[in-house]
């Protein structure tokens, strides 16, 4: 099936593959972060309760990598698409980096949280993260020493789900970029969008676990396939 390039409302879901060429590691590829770290120790509330210093060390390293990284042509193309189609493009990302924003995108929905934000595990207050975070830093609101990264861990509810589901219901094109289709609920968005009547397109380096659920797919590095697709949409 070919995909119409004249969508009125587009929802884009991005994953780690979008930022791979900016030098940020993916999770499940060869040498991915989850081949080098135990996700139960660094990306769960239980891991944080056991060893908060280890968890902060992991995310402090991610934050340092992110500060050194630059947006790549795929981030820039998505920001261009959003500018060219005001109020018609919803950008949802599983990524905790801010490379889409640094490429000029606005209102990016960070469903798995953001490295640039801190969250008080005691009272739920949020604030801008320091470059290096530690659990003992007192919360600016309740002053308790329970600082954690504002990242959604395994076993926690992703953020902004109502907003995302509303956008999926309204979409007539859903595009997933650089995500392996292993983590729900994001991996289920293709079915929600298709059920609501949207066409669906995967852009990835290689087929994801859910590729068969998409109407069409294109394979290649994000820095190539994303600008090509955006150029087609914008004609
Ligand atoms: P994964 O590491 O699971 O998948 C990365 C995807 O990007 C794979 O499908 C690769 O083929 C693709 N890829 C790699 N390099 C690429 C490139 N240059 N261009 C295009 N695609 C490329 O990452 P995600 O699917 O984003 O959650 O992972 C989802 C969630 O699992 C993450 O948000 C994170 C992780 O555990 C949490 O930490 C809660």
């Amino acid at each position: 099936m070919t995909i119409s390039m004249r969508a009125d409302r587009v929802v884009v879901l991005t994953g780690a593959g979008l930022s791979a060429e900016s030098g940020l590691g993916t999770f499940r590829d060869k040498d991915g972060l989850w081949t080098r770290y135990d996700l139960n120790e660094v990306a769960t509330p239980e891991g944080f309760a056991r060893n908060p210093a280890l968890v902060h060390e992991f995310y402090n390293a991610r934050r340092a990598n992110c500060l050194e990284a630059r947006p790549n042509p795929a981030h820039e193309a998505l920001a261009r698409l959003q500018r060219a189609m005001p109020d018609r493009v919803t950008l949802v990302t599983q990524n905790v980096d801010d490379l889409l924003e640094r490429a000029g995108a606005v209102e990016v929905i960070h469903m798995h949280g953001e490295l640039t934000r801190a969250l008080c595990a005691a009272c739920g207050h949020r604030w801008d993260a320091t470059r290096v975070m530690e659990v003992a830093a007192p919360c600016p609101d309740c002053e308790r020493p329970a600082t954690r990264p504002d990242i959604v861990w395994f076993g926690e509810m992703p953020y902004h789900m109502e907003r995302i589901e509303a956008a999926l219901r309204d979409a007539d094109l859903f595009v997933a970029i650089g995500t392996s289709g292993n983590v729900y609920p994001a991996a289920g968005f293709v079915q929600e969008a298709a059920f609501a009547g949207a066409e669906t397109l995967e852009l990835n380096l290689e087929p994801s676990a859910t590729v068969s659920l998409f109407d069409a797919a294109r394979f290649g590095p994000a820095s190539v396939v994303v600008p090509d697709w955006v150029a087609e949409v914008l004609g």
Side-chain angles (χ1 to χ4, degrees), residues 157-226:
M157 183 64 80
Y159 297 155
H160 314 297
M161 286 306 295
E162 280 183 21
R163 207 171 143 204
I164 296 168
E165 274 161 8
L168 291 170
R169 280 195 297 274
D170 280 352
D172 45 24
L173 177 60
F174 171 76
V175 185
I177 301 173
T179 179
S180 64
N182 281 296
V183 175
Y184 284 81
F189 290 171
V190 56
Q191 284 166 305
E192 286 185 55
F195 186 71
E199 291 183 293
T200 57
L201 172 66
E202 170 165 303
L203 303 177
N204 209 350
L205 191 59
E206 51 195 35
S208 72
T210 51
V211 68
S212 62
L213 301 174
F214 288 81
D215 295 319
R218 298 180 187 175
F219 304 112
S223 65
V224 175
V225 293
V226 178

Side-chain angles (χ1 to χ4, degrees), residues 81-144:
L81 179 73
Q82 201 186 39
R83 274 196 302 276
M85 295 176 64
D87 302 323
R88 290 161 56 203
V89 177
T90 303
L91 296 179
V92 181
T93 188
Q94 298 166 90
N95 297 346
V96 294
D97 66 60
D98 60 354
L99 295 180
L100 277 168
E101 286 90 341
R102 279 156 58 190
V106 291
E107 289 192 38
V108 180
I109 301 177
H110 281 272
M111 64 180 290
H112 289 170
E114 296 173 77
L115 283 170
T116 54
R117 301 284 288 165
L119 169 66
C120 175
C123 76
H125 181 71
R126 292 186 163 82
W127 68 99
D128 285 339
T130 48
R131 274 173 176 244
V132 177
M133 285 171 58
E134 53 172 349
V135 67
C139 167
D141 197 41
C142 74
E143 297 183 0
R144 278 179 282 183

Side-chain angles (χ1 to χ4, degrees), residues 35-116:
T35 68
R36 289 181 282 132
Y37 296 88
D38 182 347
L39 70 83
N40 293 304
E41 298 307 322
V42 299
T44 61
E46 295 78 14
F48 185 67
R50 276 193 294 272
N51 190 347
L54 177 74
V55 174
H56 275 299
E57 190 185 305
F58 176 75
Y59 286 102
N60 286 339
R62 307 277 76 72
R63 194 174 303 105
N65 288 354
C66 182
L67 285 166
E68 283 162 16
R70 297 271 170 279
N72 69 53
H75 299 101
E76 286 159 6
L78 292 176
R80 198 155 59 241
L81 179 73
Q82 201 186 39
R83 274 196 302 276
M85 295 176 64
D87 302 323
R88 290 161 56 203
V89 177
T90 303
L91 296 179
V92 181
T93 188
Q94 298 166 90
N95 297 346
V96 294
D97 66 60
D98 60 354
L99 295 180
L100 277 168
E101 286 90 341
R102 279 156 58 190
V106 291
E107 289 192 38
V108 180
I109 301 177
H110 281 272
M111 64 180 290
H112 289 170
E114 296 173 77
L115 283 170
T116 54

